Amino acid sequence: MQRRGALLGVPGGGRKMAAGDVGELLVPHMPTIRVPRSGDRVYKSECAFSYDSPSSEGGLYVCMNTFLAFGREHVERHFRKTGQSVYMHLKRHVREKVRGASGGALPKRRNSKIFLDLDTDDDLNSDNYEYEDEAKLVIFPDHYEIALPNIEELPALVTIACDAVLNSKSPYRKPDPDTWERELPVSKYANNLTQLDNGVRIPPSGWKCARCDLRENLWLNLTDGSVLCGKWFFDSSGGNGHALEHYRDMGYPLAVKLGTITPDGADVYSFQEEEPVLDPHLAKHLVHFGIDMLHMHGTENGLRDNDIKPRVSEWEVIQETGTKLKPMYGPGYTGLKNLGNSCYLSSVMQAIFSIPEFQRAYVGNLPRIFDHSPLDPTQDFNTQMTKLGHGLLSGQYSKPPVKSELIEQVMKEEHKPQQNGISPRMFKAFVSKSHPEFSSNRQQDAQEFFLHLVNLVERNRIGSENPSDVFRFLVEERTQCCQTRKVRYTERVDYLMQLPVAMEAATNKDELIAYELTRREAEANRRPLPELVRARIPFSACLQAFSEPENVDDFWSSALQAKSAGVKTSRFASFPEYLVVQIKKFTFGLDWVPKKFDVSIDMPDLLDISHLRARGLQPGEEELPDISPPIVIPDDSKDRLMNQLIDPSDIDESSVMQLAEMGFPLEACRKAVYFTGNMGAEVAFNWIIVHMEEPDFAEPLTIPGYGGAASAGASVFGAAGLDNQPPEEVIAIITSMGFPRNQAVQALRATNGNLERALDWIFNHPEFEEDGDFMIEMENNANANIISEAKPEGPRVKDGSGMYELFAFISHMGTSTMSGHYVCHIKKEGRWVIYNDHKVCASERPPKDLGYMYFYRRIPS
């Protein structure tokens, strides 16, 4: 009997093969080794269950059949589940460069064994470090090792497969290189760009083309500071092409589009290279013309008189710039790397995983979720939520530098605490899949992503508990007809409270008026504009605006059955366990350009909304009859679509999400999209209006011919009866594939009757009979769900008192939700902590008055 190699002992340990034995050893495993095909995602930079990478101590193991990657802690699980034996082990050795006598780094040693296109987020461009890559094949369970490359001894197929894996592109890269989302090249003119010393300074607004009167689509030439219009587009918008003419006259190659400049970058175009480009020195090139893109508050251009006092930049206040922030390490203090405009996701997820219910639902169930994950865990929501939660809360990826490193840094006067954080790349790729906005690299609205995440949690429930229930509450809407004075009370589900900004209640109106007059004067005389003055709004005014009446233009009168004006007010029919408050800072100007109110609101640490409790029908009020408007939907109505049903798996989930975010039940939204033939959210909305009074409105989608429910959380076939016995026709399908009947029944029960998931479950559980405890719990949960569906008890809400305390808030810097930056502050262990992407520090001055989303927890009564 040969001794098993010590994989879990010394890193890289294992049994090495003698020459001549390699080919013979691989023969039994040849059918399982694949060459990646077009469309295969090859993961070679990150574990599917953790944030281990080739730079981690144990390296990374890439399955040569599924091309999934696993850290040393998780590769054994994949081997036991799939029986796949051949893995490619990747290890990156990072070391500090050896310095010569003059103090400079010696040339980096060449290494022929490198991982091409390896996405590890390591700072490999640093002048202080070099790296060396090592690859080898490892055969389980004996952990035999075959060093790579090994062309002489390896079979040709294995050599081709190994080369294809090592040269594969990132699985997160856009498949179409021609799309506008492609990675932009760095301009060859950026490094040595000539900039004329002509004294040109660009004001923060009031721009106009130097050759015509256009004030839009303007480009700043980075050589001489000329502001000129861009190209003319097919729809008669754009410009007269004067920027291009200027290039042809002068030969100055680079220009930046005004209005796109943020601390994250800007749109840069190279006339010489005839394409959009990146300018790595953009900040320096803009400062030459008086534009400080890193702060965006034009200090050099601000007026320095006694009437207008420039305020401190929003960017500086929110990020607490200028204060010495102490880095935080350990469990719960792990940052998230910015993937390029991903700070909206990072801020929301930091706040979400500071809530105990989410910690228990995912991290608390880690062994069970990981053990029962599908064959491809990168495509499973609960697995990726658990992975992210564990990465943030475990402390494994947030360790302080050792004492010797700190002493060396202090001696070199280079003390810069390094906080690498973890990369949410795999999580973002999954949760944004098929979403037109979140799947892009553009900045997004944190509030919209929060609702998107809640929707995903709703659709991927773990057992009978749903952590998003802590946000769920009922809103009572009272609508009064202005003609009959009769009222109607309705309830809807919501997950956050939106507060309008009551600008008319600003306490510094005189200062705002003075600023506006100075701004107009400066713009008329083409002088630099003064700093923007921030309006100070009392929180009580915003809260009052929330419950004030608003006009309803399309309210249906019971008397006339025609459109008439009505008045609507909203109150809380239940108070959630966690209250999320959004300050509606974003709006549109008269020119439809998105803008943001620059306001300071005195958000309270303790919040009492008890006075907003719903009261229901009051004495003396007369209720309107329940009459629905005669909305006509297209011919493809519920009845007519019965003969041309779409596949339930093809339901347009983006339309479902749009409807669900309006407050309608998820199952009703799925039915609406299904029965209107995937024609979009607007048509489906009409279906909802017509059918919302039906008794089965919120029940799961039932499709004739499929035999039961077809929803994200239920089966296409459904589980009939309270005994959770799957339909015989579904069992027959599985048994016809050669699986035992008891295994088919158990798999269908575990997956609530979903045929596709049941087959996946069978492949994942070859030892299914030994997994009785989990199956009993799954069956009990499924039965509980069926009973609750048979006896509906209304929306799931956790009502309580209206007293809350602030524990987190997310702030936005920038002019609109499509640009700028998000930062999160969370109160932990009695102190505020700032989460600014990968940097996590103790907060010195938390800017609670500048937040965008606030998270309150209920105070126990």
Side-chain angles (χ1 to χ4, degrees):
M1 179 68 68
Q2 291 181 328
R3 183 177 60 86
R4 176 172 173 169
L7 172 68
L8 301 181
V10 179
R15 306 196 60 178
K16 298 183 179 179
M17 293 301 301
D21 294 338
V22 171
E24 181 181 349
L25 182 65
L26 285 171
V27 168
H29 308 292
M30 290 296 292
T32 67
I33 298 176
R34 292 199 304 120
V35 178
R37 298 188 297 268
S38 176
D40 281 336
R41 294 186 297 267
V42 179
Y43 296 90
K44 57 180 180 179
S45 60
E46 180 182 353
C47 173
F49 294 104
S50 71
Y51 292 93
D52 287 350
S53 71
S55 299
S56 301
E57 181 181 0
L60 203 64
Y61 294 82
V62 180
C63 172
M64 293 301 293
N65 182 269
T66 64
F67 309 117
L68 297 170
F70 306 94
R72 192 170 65 185
E73 182 182 355
H74 300 283
V75 65
E76 292 276 3
R77 175 188 289 109
H78 187 256
F79 165 69
R80 291 193 304 268
K81 178 180 289 189
T82 64
Q84 172 61 28
S85 300
V86 183
Y87 296 81
M88 180 183 291
H89 183 249
L90 305 177
K91 184 73 177 79
R92 169 160 286 174
H93 305 277
V94 182
R95 60 178 65 90
E96 192 170 1
K97 287 183 180 179
V98 179
R99 298 189 173 274
S102 61
L106 295 177
K108 185 166 64 175
R109 174 161 47 96
R110 290 188 174 272
N111 174 28
S112 60
K113 298 180 294 183
I114 59 175
F115 307 154
L116 302 180
D117 195 38
L118 183 59
D119 257 336
T120 60
D121 296 306
D122 291 329
D123 185 15
L124 300 177
N125 295 322
S126 171
D127 294 333
N128 298 322
Y129 296 94
E130 63 180 359
Y131 64 94
E132 181 179 0
D133 294 343
E134 177 186 8
K136 56 191 173 186
L137 289 180
V138 178
I139 304 176
F140 282 59
D142 294 308
H143 307 292
Y144 287 116
E145 296 180 354
I146 304 171
L148 297 176
N150 195 339
I151 301 176
E152 296 80 8
E153 299 178 343
L154 289 177
L157 175 65
V158 178
T159 300
I160 295 172
C162 291
D163 287 344
V165 169
L166 289 174
N167 289 278
S168 60
K169 300 297 181 183
S170 167
Y172 309 106
R173 183 165 297 174
K174 295 289 181 181
D176 182 7
D178 296 327
T179 61
W180 70 275
E181 288 284 352
R182 70 186 187 276
E183 295 183 1
L184 298 178
V186 175
S187 173
K188 61 183 179 182
Y189 299 99
N191 288 335
N192 301 303
L193 182 70
T194 300
Q195 291 191 284
L196 303 183
D197 226 357
N198 52 12
V200 173
R201 291 293 181 268
I202 305 301
S205 63
W207 313 302
K208 186 176 77 70
C209 177
R211 297 190 182 182
C212 65
D213 293 329
L214 288 180
R215 294 180 176 269
E216 60 182 17
N217 191 21
L218 299 177
W219 293 78
L220 167 68
N221 190 286
L222 291 176
T223 295
D224 64 356
S226 298
V227 176
L228 299 153
C229 61
K231 295 179 181 180
W232 176 85
F233 300 121
F234 69 92
D235 60 354
S236 299
S237 65
N240 297 318
H242 288 143
L244 180 59
E245 288 182 10
H246 184 67
Y247 158 71
R248 290 170 178 167
D249 294 340
M250 308 301 298
Y252 302 150
L254 298 184
V256 59
K257 187 173 183 179
L258 294 174
T260 68
I261 302 171
T262 72
D264 296 320
D267 294 344
V268 181
Y269 188 82
S270 172
F271 297 106
Q272 177 66 35
E273 296 159 291
E274 298 184 338
E275 64 176 337
V277 295
L278 292 178
D279 179 2
H281 309 293
L282 181 61
K284 181 183 74 172
H285 292 156
L286 289 174
V287 166
H288 183 82
F289 300 111
I291 303 175
D292 187 354
M293 66 173 282
L294 298 181
H295 295 94
M296 296 301 293
H297 65 283
T299 302
E300 295 181 18
N301 293 329
L303 298 183
R304 299 296 184 179
D305 53 52
N306 296 326
D307 297 327
I308 299 295
K309 182 180 179 181
R311 65 169 174 81
V312 180
S313 166
E314 178 185 52
W315 290 80
E316 295 176 341
V317 175
I318 292 177
Q319 296 185 100
E320 303 189 51
T321 305
T323 58
K324 191 173 182 179
L325 301 179
K326 178 183 177 182
M328 305 286 289
Y329 300 95
Y333 300 106
T334 303
L336 288 166
K337 296 178 182 178
N338 196 319
L339 307 177
N341 291 330
S342 64
C343 52
Y344 67 92
L345 177 148
S346 299
S347 297
V348 170
M349 297 314 300
Q350 292 285 9
I352 287 293
F353 275 112
S354 68
I355 297 174
E357 284 77 2
F358 279 86
Q359 296 174 1
R360 290 195 297 267
Y362 295 103
V363 182
N365 283 315
L366 182 147
R368 179 176 299 175
I369 292 174
F370 280 3
D371 287 341
H372 296 89
S373 64
L375 286 176
D376 187 354
T378 68
Q379 302 302 305
D380 180 65
F381 176 75
N382 291 328
T383 300
Q384 292 307 310
M385 277 287 283
T386 303
K387 170 184 172 178
L388 181 64
H390 181 262
L392 294 176
L393 301 174
S394 65
Q396 291 184 8
Y397 308 97
S398 177
K399 298 178 180 179
V402 296
K403 190 173 182 180
S404 59
E405 293 177 355
L406 284 175
I407 295 175
E408 184 178 359
Q409 290 172 356
V410 172
M411 293 295 293
K412 294 179 179 179
E413 298 183 352
E414 297 177 352
H415 180 42
K416 297 180 180 179
Q418 298 297 316
Q419 292 178 292
N420 294 326
I422 58 178
S423 170
R425 183 186 291 109
M426 188 176 291
F427 177 80
K428 181 181 185 296
F430 178 78
V431 300
S432 62
K433 183 173 59 176
S434 301
H435 193 288
E437 290 300 327
F438 298 133
S439 59
S440 73
N441 290 327
R442 299 186 295 273
Q443 185 64 276
Q444 302 298 331
D445 187 352
Q447 176 257 353
E448 291 183 3
F449 180 76
F450 168 76
L451 293 178
H452 176 63
L453 181 76
V454 168
N455 189 26
L456 290 173
V457 174
E458 290 275 359
R459 288 159 48 188
N460 297 273
R461 296 177 60 182
I462 304 176
S464 59
E465 290 297 320
N466 188 338
S468 65
D469 286 351
V470 299
F471 303 124
R472 191 181 179 102
F473 61 92
L474 292 176
V475 177
E476 177 194 83
E477 292 186 341
R478 176 188 182 273
T479 309
Q480 184 174 37
C481 176
C482 291
Q483 294 186 13
T484 66
R485 312 305 298 174
K486 296 181 180 181
V487 298
R488 174 178 294 168
Y489 286 89
T490 58
E491 288 186 349
R492 61 176 173 84
V493 173
D494 213 333
Y495 293 91
L496 81 163
M497 177 187 189
Q498 295 182 306
L499 290 186
V501 176
M503 291 295 294
E504 67 281 357
T507 59
N508 58 335
K509 290 182 180 179
D510 293 340
E511 188 179 8
L512 294 172
I513 294 173
Y515 161 77
E516 180 62 19
L517 294 175
T518 307
R519 185 193 66 78
R520 292 180 182 180
E521 179 186 356
E523 194 170 44
N525 297 314
R526 299 187 62 81
R527 290 165 39 207
L529 297 180
E531 287 282 348
L532 181 64
V533 176
R534 179 172 296 130
R536 294 190 289 272
I537 313 292
F539 172 75
S540 57
C542 299
L543 198 60
Q544 181 179 356
F546 168 79
S547 57
E548 282 184 346
E550 60 176 304
N551 289 330
V552 182
D553 294 331
D554 295 330
F555 184 70
W556 283 88
S557 166
S558 62
L560 301 178
Q561 294 188 19
K563 291 185 178 179
S564 62
V567 174
K568 181 171 67 177
T569 56
S570 300
R571 287 178 173 268
F572 286 85
S574 68
F575 291 129
E577 194 162 349
Y578 289 83
L579 178 65
V580 182
V581 179
Q582 177 204 10
I583 305 298
K584 299 176 68 175
K585 293 185 175 184
F586 299 100
T587 184
F588 289 90
L590 297 177
D591 54 359
W592 288 93
V593 175
K595 68 177 184 179
K596 173 183 167 186
F597 293 128
D598 198 346
V599 294
S600 172
I601 299 177
D602 57 339
M603 294 297 293
D605 288 307
L606 299 178
L607 175 61
D608 184 4
I609 57 172
S610 302
H611 62 286
L612 296 178
R613 170 75 76 172
R615 297 173 297 182
L617 190 67
Q618 296 297 298
E621 291 182 335
E622 185 176 355
E623 194 169 8
L624 277 165
D626 191 8
I627 299 178
S628 298
I631 296 177
V632 179
I633 63 174
D635 291 338
D636 50 353
S637 61
K638 178 177 178 179
D639 296 329
R640 298 191 181 189
L641 277 176
M642 287 302 181
N643 295 325
Q644 44 184 352
L645 295 174
I646 61 174
D647 190 326
S649 62
D650 292 333
I651 293 177
D652 182 6
E653 293 296 341
S654 63
S655 296
V656 174
M657 185 196 70
Q658 292 180 49
L659 296 171
E661 289 177 357
M662 297 179 189
F664 298 113
L666 180 64
E667 295 298 341
C669 299
R670 290 181 57 79
K671 287 198 293 187
V673 174
Y674 179 82
F675 286 125
T676 54
N678 275 345
M679 294 184 65
E682 184 176 353
V683 176
F685 176 81
N686 291 338
W687 186 95
I688 286 179
I689 297 299
V690 172
H691 295 87
M692 64 188 306
E693 302 300 330
E694 295 177 359
D696 63 344
F697 175 69
E699 293 183 6
L701 171 61
T702 302
I703 303 170
Y706 285 90
S711 67
S715 166
V716 171
F717 294 89
L722 295 181
D723 59 352
N724 197 20
Q725 180 65 24
E728 286 298 326
E729 61 269 24
V730 187
I731 299 175
I733 294 175
I734 298 179
T735 55
S736 66
M737 299 179 184
F739 298 105
R741 174 183 171 82
N742 61 338
Q743 190 176 17
V745 171
Q746 197 162 351
L748 288 167
R749 286 178 174 175
T751 57
N752 203 19
N754 186 295
L755 176 60
E756 182 180 356
R757 290 174 53 204
L759 291 172
D760 192 35
W761 188 94
I762 289 175
F763 287 112
N764 291 344
H765 297 79
E767 72 292 351
F768 73 100
E769 292 182 346
E770 302 174 4
D771 203 14
D773 293 340
F774 179 69
M775 291 312 307
I776 291 174
E777 180 176 343
M778 291 291 292
E779 182 173 343
N780 290 339
N781 289 338
N783 285 332
N785 291 338
I786 294 171
I787 293 173
S788 65
E789 291 173 5
K791 300 179 180 179
E793 299 178 357
R796 307 180 310 274
V797 295
K798 299 186 176 182
D799 198 6
S801 72
M803 291 292 297
Y804 294 89
E805 63 177 343
L806 182 68
F807 72 93
F809 62 95
I810 296 173
S811 306
H812 175 269
M813 297 153 280
T815 56
S816 78
T817 56
M818 304 305 293
S819 64
H821 183 56
Y822 286 96
V823 164
C824 182
H825 284 76
I826 303 176
K827 194 173 186 178
K828 290 189 175 183
E829 301 176 320
R831 61 186 171 190
W832 285 97
V833 180
I834 178 174
Y835 293 80
N836 189 355
D837 287 334
H838 66 281
K839 294 178 288 187
V840 181
C841 302
S843 174
E844 296 292 332
R845 295 194 296 265
K848 289 180 283 187
D849 60 325
L850 298 180
Y852 174 52
M853 294 177 64
Y854 294 85
F855 293 77
Y856 285 88
R857 66 165 58 92
R858 185 160 56 210
I859 300 175
S861 54

